[in-house]
Amino acid sequence: MWLSEKNGKEQPGPALWGTVSIGGAETAVCAEAEYRGVRAICPGGFVWIPAQGRQVLALRDGAGQPVMLGVLCPPEKDMLPGEVRLYTGGASITLKNDGRILLAGRVAVEGGLTVNGTEIG
């Protein structure tokens, strides 16, 4: 009988928490097992390569393989609701509600730069 075959066997759910065990282009995530070559789902125009040790949320695709949706974010005490921050270990861009854009880290401009209608460089 089908029910007796399922008895005692835990069925995996669609979502799982895991830890990135190998960061970079060939990302591996360790959850109930280690999954290699895990892809990340990102908004259009955004690329994310998760770092080793980050805790990630994944959903299973049609083949049962996890696809990363994002990381567990630390609380940011200097941010207000509605503000956005892109960050790595050494740089960040913060969009503030009052219209300010805060850049942290070394800034390199590739291409032209226009400030208040005046081209610089």
Side-chain angles (χ1 to χ4, degrees), residues 83-86 92-104 107:
E83 295 180 338
V84 176
R85 177 170 291 149
L86 299 175
S92 69
I93 301 171
T94 304
L95 306 178
K96 303 294 280 182
N97 290 336
D98 62 7
R100 291 181 296 145
I101 299 171
L102 307 178
L103 303 175
V107 177

